[in-house]
Amino acid sequence: MTATGNGSIAPPKTRRSFRPNLRQATFIAPRTGERVRRAVTLQSPALEAANRDGPADDSALLTQGRRLPKTSTFRAIQQDCEDRIWKLWAFTNSKNGQGILKCSLAYLIGSMATFVPVISDLLGQQDGKHMVATVTVYFHPARSQGSMFEAVGLAFLAFIYAAVISFSSMGVSILFGRTFNLMVLGHTIVLIVFCGGGLGLVGWVKQRLANPLVNVACSLTSLALITVLTKEGAVQAVEYSDDKVEQVMYMILMGVTAATAVCFLIRPISARKELRQNMIHVTDSLGDMLAMITRSFLLGNEEDLEHRAFIAASDRYRTVFASLTKNLREAKFEHYVLGTEAEYQLEANLVKCMQRMAQNIGGLRSAATTQFDLLSQAPSYGGVTPSASIYTPVAAPNMSLADSWLTSHENCGGLTAIHEHPEEDGMTEDSSDTEQQNGGENFDSLPTMQSPIEIFDKFISHLGPSMKSLAYTLKQILDELPYGPAPEFKIAVNTQFHTSLVQAIRLYSDARTEALALLYGKKDSGSARPTELEADFEEVAASCGHFSFSLQDFAEEMKVYLDILDDIKEETERLPRRRSWNWLKFWRDMTTTEQLSKTGDMERDSLIALNGEMDVPSEMVSPMDRTHLTEYTSEKARSLTSAYTRYLWKTLRVFRRDDIKFGIKVGAGAAMFALPSFLFSTREFYQHWRGEWGLLSYMLVCSMTIGASNTTGFARFFGTCLGAICAVFTWTASQGNAFVLAAFGWLMSLGTSYLIVAAGKAPLGRFIMLTYNLSALYAYSLSVRDDEDDDDEGGVNPMISEIAVHRVVAVLSGCLWGLIVTRLVWPISARSKFKDGLSLLWLRMGLIWKRDPLAMLLDGESPNAYMKLREEFELQRFVSRLENLRGAAASEFELRGPFPKAAYGRILKSTSRMLDAFHAMNVVINKDLKASDGEAELLRYTIGERAQLCSRISHLFQVLASSMKLEFPLNDAFPSTDHARDRLLAKIFKYRRDDSVAQGTTDEDYGLLYAYALVTGQLSKEIKEIGKEIEILFGVLDEDLFKLQ
């Protein structure tokens, strides 16, 4: 395609002469509400710029064909240095660069607890003051104020939990050691209950919540507990010593305070402002995608949707929306602290509205894709003329396919491209009546349409101008919403926008009703057609109708968007500001939790509790449990003993969950690793080799799956070795000088902060700094006599090499112990868990679709709903969990070969798209749970065909699940939904043709089945894609599968 003089894209030559220019239609100017008639363009600036021909400026032409003079070597080096300096300066002023500087400054302040005597004396005589600097690394300040509020809250909870466990363990040790004179029994209880149980609970919470800040809080909790229970010795000596506990808690408090002060005082980041900036980007992306999809649909050309401008807009939306949800969560804490809860609720509603608008964009994309697929298949029917049979080809043997395509459309106006005009000064509606009569086509003179391609052509000819006008009005409104420029971010809503949008929707609705009525009335219904062709007719109608309905739904959702913006503007401009702290009334939340779960408040979906391991809904039974459950249910109870054992089996079901088993084995492993610290014969050995750091490494390495443990263990060990090397070098170079050590530590923190903030390798960066602190800062504490009992590593003359070796050996032992426990005790393979979970998800999806989504509409609300809101959230979370398992599976090593991560990634993407189709169907159904008379009659008429189609889709999901579970290739005769779907579409065609049956059914009544048809088509397409991937994965049969053993 080439660019024309006015900047628009010229259509292909094969279509240029067949479609007349779209007649000018009335559109509403958003700012004024004035009705204007002129030709408009939906071409985005990015797409227009990308399609321009020729170099960007004349200077490029001047340099072509001649050799540029060579610059001197010195000048080249100077220019390279200048470029690098400017890049470094730009990165320093970026968000990540400022975050790195803030992290390094917080670390420098935290290290002062070791180097400055005034601060060091506040922590008493001990050699663990480096923990303050370590806390600043974990709770780094390169986060928003809302995230820091959450971090402080989690640190406070970690403090409370560690204090309770520490003091309780001392009390139990004193009770049994001094009162009952049973010291061994007391130590055993402390080891099993407080050490094993306390650390096991920490590991369970860490895996259960799967939140980065929760993980950090759990790490600090583990550090505090391990220090008190195994290192300080108060529990082992049967003494009550609150000094050590207070010292640990003070160090945590000082570290969190330092990080919080840097976060709030130096270039603070407001999650509320970040959220508003994200909203601006999301709205711009939605406007760009709306314009490009509508333009592509009108052109009948998929090139716009495959253009890099559209792909960039889609990728930008996905990236920014992920950041949007993160900033919304963090902004919630800022609003709660400031007392602006009402504003947060409105912003949450606005985010959900944006999400629904994006789903409408997806509906537009699906309808456009259906159009392109049908256009690509249309030539297979051969040429069609009014006097020829509809399935008699007219192409000559020596005529090319393109020539046949052109010949067949000369008389019927084939689907040709739209010639878009540049924006001109608007003409009033009254002054263009003559042009409308001349440029427009008389509806009454339309010939009867003989082929599906003609329906597309006539649909776009009649409804295209109104569709384009509405999209143009929506695009103009989206370009100005929702906020003004930073840093004020004032609400940018115009009071005229709402009125203009209502008028635009009314104009579009009237034009759509008239155009659809004329199109459906002009379809030839006199001659008999094969089922496939009747299905194509109705599929064309479905794509056209669904596109027009989705565009109107987008406009209706835009009205809600404007209403929410008006509410936000009213709330923010209220004087004085209304403030409330109702979130502190926790007793109210306890009474309303059940009501929220029943009503399905979308703004509080994050509060919905997760059910079962791996975010599996409570109705989902894990494959392991299902196997054992079948063994019990297959035999009827014939005795009291059988009934009792069955009751006991159900009661203990909670202990068969993977997350509970994980917590138990983590606690047991921690108790076994800490055992030498409770035995007098091995306690000295445990302290000499710094077993507490090995136990901490064990807690950090243990993960739910083998693959995740492998990944964490490697990062932990590599970071430890690198940190130890840096510590040895720093101590040797500084000779124990505090100023040099502080400077080296600051430089170290710059590098590790880059890993944590910018490179996305937070565990590696934290492990490097943790080992550096344990070696270099610990050595400085020894050199200034912070603890007179530490003479095993040099005392006042620290042996830095021995200190580093002890840390490396301790970390290595903890990593190996964690891998052993993960691999041998109730091992959970990410590969097996991923495949089982994927099979279970497909089975669940098959059961959902087996309900027949539209059956419930005949009788209103039904207890067997298509898909409840909670169920939808559970499935989406389950897919996210499967994505995490896929990443962990890549780190599991098996002799049969590496894990095919890319292939399973494509399968997961197809599964996610199918869930999006489920959601789209759910949205359509929930618009009105009571079918109209026309919809009810149409649903009854197609009940048999829909039942067959639902059964086939459910069966396909079961086939895919079985193949994935057994790792067995699919049968060559893989069933398809095409024929069942064609029969449904043909039945709808016959219904529309039968006036005696279809009387009283409006065009809007068909919208439900149009969405149903497109969703089933998308499901069929994705199932085929998954089938191809499974064929590649399991296409070669293994002879061992057929051995009878």
Side-chain angles (χ1 to χ4, degrees):
M1 301 180 74
T2 59
T4 62
N6 57 17
S8 62
I9 296 178
K13 294 181 179 180
T14 55
R15 295 183 179 181
R16 179 175 298 170
S17 60
F18 298 129
R19 172 174 294 169
N21 295 343
L22 281 182
R23 67 183 187 279
Q24 295 178 348
T26 301
F27 75 94
I28 305 298
R31 282 187 167 273
T32 62
E34 179 186 2
R35 295 191 179 190
V36 181
R37 181 182 297 277
R38 73 180 184 191
V40 297
T41 178
L42 294 177
Q43 181 146 332
S44 65
L47 187 62
E48 185 176 356
N51 287 318
R52 290 195 188 103
D53 294 330
D57 50 42
D58 295 335
S59 61
L61 293 175
L62 296 177
T63 58
Q64 294 179 359
R66 66 183 180 89
R67 182 177 299 176
L68 294 174
K70 294 183 179 180
T71 59
S72 63
T73 305
F74 176 77
R75 178 59 182 168
I77 296 175
Q78 181 183 5
Q79 185 65 36
D80 183 67
C81 292
E82 291 178 358
D83 293 341
R84 292 178 181 273
I85 292 174
W86 280 112
K87 290 180 180 178
L88 179 61
W89 177 254
F91 179 76
T92 303
N93 286 277
S94 66
K95 181 181 177 181
N96 285 337
Q98 293 178 2
I100 292 172
L101 293 177
K102 291 167 66 174
C103 290
S104 63
L105 179 59
Y107 175 81
L108 183 63
I109 296 174
S111 64
M112 294 301 104
T114 303
F115 297 128
V116 178
V118 177
I119 303 176
S120 178
D121 292 341
L122 296 177
L123 300 176
Q125 288 291 113
Q126 58 155 326
D127 56 9
K129 298 173 184 179
H130 53 79
M131 187 184 297
V132 179
T134 302
V135 171
T136 62
V137 175
Y138 276 78
F139 284 99
H140 64 79
R143 61 179 80 247
S144 67
Q145 295 173 338
S147 179
M148 185 55 71
F149 284 138
E150 183 182 8
V152 171
L154 291 174
F156 177 74
L157 293 178
F159 169 84
I160 296 298
Y161 178 79
V164 169
I165 296 296
S166 300
F167 288 124
S168 300
S169 61
M170 292 181 188
V172 170
S173 178
I174 293 174
L175 176 66
F176 282 89
R178 294 183 179 180
T179 305
F180 301 130
N181 199 22
L182 298 172
M183 185 178 64
V184 176
L185 179 59
H187 286 174
T188 303
I189 294 176
V190 170
L191 182 64
I192 296 177
V193 176
F194 296 99
C195 187
L199 293 177
L201 182 60
V202 170
W204 179 83
V205 171
K206 178 180 176 181
Q207 295 296 327
R208 183 67 169 173
L209 298 183
N211 185 300
L213 279 179
V214 173
N215 294 346
V216 172
C218 289
S219 299
L220 292 183
T221 304
S222 302
L223 176 59
L225 286 178
I226 292 170
T227 302
V228 174
L229 295 180
T230 67
K231 178 187 176 183
E232 302 303 340
V235 175
Q236 289 79 356
V238 195
E239 296 178 354
Y240 180 83
S241 174
D242 57 355
D243 294 338
K244 297 298 183 182
V245 178
E246 289 179 356
Q247 288 175 352
V248 173
M249 303 314 163
Y250 284 155
M251 288 187 291
I252 294 177
L253 181 61
M254 292 176 63
V256 172
T257 302
T260 304
V262 173
C263 177
F264 282 91
L265 298 179
I266 301 177
R267 293 291 183 92
I269 300 175
S270 173
R272 293 166 296 152
K273 292 184 178 180
E274 294 286 328
L275 175 65
R276 291 162 188 167
Q277 189 65 51
N278 290 151
M279 287 181 178
I280 295 175
H281 293 325
V282 168
T283 305
D284 291 342
S285 299
L286 291 176
D288 292 340
M289 290 191 291
L290 172 67
M292 285 187 276
I293 291 175
T294 305
R295 183 176 184 275
S296 180
F297 183 83
L298 296 176
L299 286 172
N301 193 344
E302 198 174 4
E303 289 185 4
D304 283 359
L305 300 187
E306 296 175 348
H307 197 276
R308 60 178 179 270
F310 180 80
I311 296 175
S314 301
D315 294 341
R316 184 170 60 251
Y317 167 78
R318 285 191 290 267
T319 302
V320 176
F321 194 83
S323 177
L324 184 73
T325 54
K326 169 181 170 290
N327 288 326
L328 177 63
R329 172 183 173 83
E330 296 176 0
K332 176 179 67 175
F333 293 99
E334 295 183 12
H335 283 299
Y336 280 8
V337 172
L338 296 175
T340 54
E341 297 171 298
E343 185 177 347
Y344 162 72
Q345 293 298 333
L346 293 174
E347 288 179 347
N349 292 337
L350 190 62
V351 171
K352 291 299 177 181
C353 183
M354 288 180 177
Q355 191 173 12
R356 293 192 296 269
M357 291 168 65
Q359 290 159 359
N360 290 327
I361 290 288
L364 294 173
R365 176 69 188 274
S366 298
T369 303
T370 302
Q371 180 203 31
F372 303 142
D373 292 341
L374 291 177
L375 285 178
S376 63
Q377 300 171 3
S380 63
Y381 293 107
V384 180
T385 61
S387 60
S389 172
I390 195 164
Y391 28 82
T392 302
V394 296
N398 58 350
M399 185 180 297
S400 66
L401 183 60
D403 295 335
S404 174
W405 177 245
L406 296 178
T407 304
S408 64
H409 288 81
E410 288 180 353
N411 298 325
C412 61
L415 184 61
T416 53
I418 297 172
H419 299 266
E420 294 193 354
H421 298 287
E423 297 185 17
E424 303 168 355
D425 295 335
M427 298 180 296
T428 61
E429 186 175 4
D430 297 335
S431 64
S432 59
D433 292 338
T434 305
E435 183 179 354
Q436 180 183 9
Q437 294 174 0
N438 296 333
E441 191 174 347
N442 189 0
F443 288 151
D444 295 334
S445 63
L446 286 175
T448 301
M449 286 172 283
Q450 298 282 340
S451 63
I453 195 68
E454 297 178 59
I455 300 179
F456 270 132
D457 188 34
K458 299 305 178 184
F459 175 87
I460 295 177
S461 297
H462 302 316
L463 191 56
S466 300
M467 190 179 294
K468 189 175 182 181
S469 299
L470 179 60
Y472 180 80
T473 301
L474 293 171
K475 178 69 166 60
Q476 294 298 311
I477 295 177
L478 287 171
D479 286 344
E480 299 192 22
L481 297 180
Y483 295 98
E488 292 82 7
F489 289 108
K490 294 182 179 180
I491 300 293
V493 62
N494 190 316
T495 55
Q496 186 62 40
F497 283 171
H498 195 280
T499 304
S500 300
L501 184 58
V502 171
Q503 294 178 1
I505 294 175
R506 186 183 302 115
L507 285 176
Y508 173 75
S509 180
D510 296 341
R512 187 199 64 192
T513 302
E514 181 181 359
L516 292 179
L518 288 170
L519 287 173
Y520 296 142
K522 290 296 179 181
K523 282 197 306 183
D524 182 20
S525 57
S527 57
R529 294 177 174 83
T531 301
E532 291 79 4
L533 195 54
E534 291 181 350
D536 284 345
F537 266 90
E538 214 47 55
E539 191 165 14
V540 169
S543 64
C544 295
H546 186 65
F547 191 94
S548 63
F549 292 139
S550 296
L551 185 60
Q552 184 168 356
D553 289 341
F554 186 90
E556 295 289 347
E557 199 63 46
M558 177 67 79
K559 291 167 56 179
V560 179
Y561 186 91
L562 293 175
D563 291 338
I564 298 175
L565 279 180
D566 289 335
D567 294 339
I568 295 177
K569 184 176 183 180
E570 179 182 358
E571 180 68 27
T572 54
E573 295 179 356
R574 183 196 304 268
L575 292 177
R577 289 294 300 272
R578 181 177 58 182
R579 300 187 184 276
S580 63
W581 289 269
N582 293 325
W583 60 276
L584 293 174
K585 303 176 182 178
F586 58 89
W587 55 89
R588 295 179 56 183
D589 295 336
M590 296 173 61
T591 58
T592 58
T593 300
E594 184 177 356
Q595 298 177 359
L596 288 174
S597 63
K598 291 181 179 179
T599 57
D601 188 356
M602 297 185 67
E603 282 68 47
R604 297 187 178 232
D605 60 305
S606 61
L607 300 180
I608 297 178
L610 305 180
N611 296 308
E613 189 272 327
M614 286 175 30
D615 300 355
V616 183
S618 57
E619 299 86 356
M620 288 186 178
V621 183
S622 65
M624 245 178 167
D625 292 346
R626 187 167 55 249
T627 303
H628 296 299
L629 192 61
T630 305
E631 296 175 1
Y632 274 90
T633 56
S634 60
E635 299 180 3
K636 295 183 179 180
R638 296 185 177 90
S639 63
L640 183 60
T641 303
S642 176
Y644 174 76
T645 55
R646 198 166 61 253
Y647 171 77
L648 184 61
W649 175 261
K650 291 181 179 180
T651 303
L652 299 178
R653 181 170 54 186
V654 64
F655 295 102
R656 296 194 298 273
R657 284 169 35 184
D658 286 336
D659 59 333
I660 300 298
K661 291 192 292 185
F662 173 76
I664 293 175
K665 73 178 183 181
V666 167
M672 294 179 64
F673 196 95
L675 178 61
S677 67
F678 286 85
L679 301 177
F680 291 104
S681 59
T682 56
R683 178 167 175 75
E684 183 178 356
F685 175 83
Y686 180 88
Q687 290 182 329
H688 177 74
W689 288 99
R690 304 302 169 185
E692 67 272 11
W693 298 111
L695 182 55
L696 178 63
S697 299
Y698 162 79
M699 291 297 299
L700 296 177
V701 165
C702 279
S703 299
M704 182 73 76
T705 61
I706 298 173
S709 297
N710 292 340
T711 303
T712 309
F714 174 78
R716 172 69 173 162
F717 181 70
F718 179 75
T720 300
C721 293
L722 187 58
I725 293 173
C726 293
V728 172
F729 171 79
T730 301
W731 182 263
T732 304
S734 66
Q735 294 297 315
N737 184 277
F739 294 97
V740 179
L741 283 174
F744 270 110
W746 179 73
L747 292 176
M748 280 280 299
S749 65
L750 284 176
T752 55
S753 298
Y754 175 81
L755 295 176
I756 296 172
V757 176
K761 299 179 180 180
L764 179 61
R766 288 197 292 261
F767 295 156
I768 293 174
M769 288 308 300
L770 177 61
T771 306
Y772 177 83
N773 295 337
L774 289 175
S775 302
L777 301 190
Y778 169 79
Y780 181 82
S781 297
L782 292 183
S783 66
V784 295
R785 296 181 178 273
D786 261 341
D787 195 339
E788 298 179 355
D789 295 333
D790 280 333
D791 294 328
D792 59 334
E793 293 176 329
V796 294
N797 297 310
M799 295 180 290
I800 189 64
S801 299
E802 184 175 350
I803 293 174
V805 169
H806 288 175
R807 274 35 173 198
V808 173
V809 171
V811 169
L812 178 60
S813 63
C815 292
L816 291 177
W817 181 243
L819 294 177
I820 291 173
V821 172
T822 305
R823 171 72 70 172
L824 300 181
V825 182
W826 288 322
I828 302 175
S829 171
R831 292 193 183 200
S832 301
K833 211 67 182 175
F834 174 81
K835 295 176 183 178
D836 292 343
L838 194 57
S839 301
L840 187 61
L841 178 62
W842 286 341
L843 286 175
R844 182 65 176 270
M845 294 169 68
L847 291 176
I848 291 174
W849 196 261
K850 193 174 183 179
R851 302 171 188 170
D852 188 1
L854 303 182
M856 58 171 289
L857 295 177
L858 293 176
D859 302 319
E861 293 193 49
S862 170
N864 298 322
Y866 164 59
M867 189 164 56
K868 298 178 182 178
L869 181 64
R870 183 185 180 90
E871 184 177 21
E872 185 176 340
F873 286 145
E874 287 170 344
L875 293 178
Q876 293 291 348
R877 281 196 295 262
F878 193 68
V879 171
S880 300
R881 176 59 180 167
L882 290 179
E883 183 63 37
N884 294 334
L885 286 174
R886 185 177 73 92
S891 300
E892 292 184 356
F893 306 101
E894 293 187 2
L895 294 178
R896 58 176 176 174
F899 180 76
K901 185 178 180 180
Y904 282 113
R906 292 189 293 269
I907 291 176
L908 265 187
K909 287 183 178 179
S910 294
T911 304
S912 298
R913 288 193 290 267
M914 286 192 291
L915 284 178
D916 292 340
F918 277 43
H919 176 81
M921 193 73 249
N922 202 24
V923 169
V924 173
I925 292 174
N926 287 329
K927 287 181 180 178
D928 189 0
L929 296 177
K930 184 66 176 179
S932 64
D933 294 338
E935 288 177 338
E937 188 64 31
L938 184 57
L939 291 176
R940 295 189 190 96
Y941 191 80
T942 58
I943 189 170
E945 288 72 17
R946 285 187 291 107
Q948 295 178 7
L949 182 57
C950 290
S951 298
R952 180 60 58 89
I953 292 176
S954 178
H955 172 66
L956 287 175
F957 276 120
Q958 294 178 2
V959 172
L960 294 177
S962 301
S963 178
M964 180 60 65
K965 176 66 177 176
L966 300 175
E967 297 186 1
F968 201 82
L970 296 172
N971 195 295
D972 293 337
F974 186 65
S976 173
T977 62
D978 293 342
H979 294 297
R981 186 166 174 267
D982 286 345
R983 286 193 293 269
L984 173 63
L985 293 171
K987 194 67 175 292
I988 299 174
F989 180 86
K990 293 178 181 178
Y991 177 86
R992 188 190 297 277
R993 187 172 59 181
D994 191 348
D995 295 333
S996 61
V997 178
Q999 188 176 7
T1001 304
T1002 63
D1003 295 324
E1004 285 75 11
D1005 295 333
Y1006 290 93
L1008 191 64
L1009 279 177
Y1010 287 162
Y1012 183 88
L1014 291 179
V1015 167
T1016 54
Q1018 184 176 357
L1019 291 178
S1020 177
K1021 178 181 178 181
E1022 299 300 338
I1023 288 175
K1024 290 179 181 178
E1025 293 296 327
I1026 293 177
K1028 293 178 182 178
E1029 294 293 341
I1030 291 179
E1031 184 178 356
I1032 295 174
L1033 289 173
F1034 310 132
V1036 179
L1037 292 177
D1038 189 354
E1039 294 182 359
D1040 293 337
L1041 294 175
F1042 297 96
K1043 290 183 179 180
L1044 301 178
Q1045 298 178 354

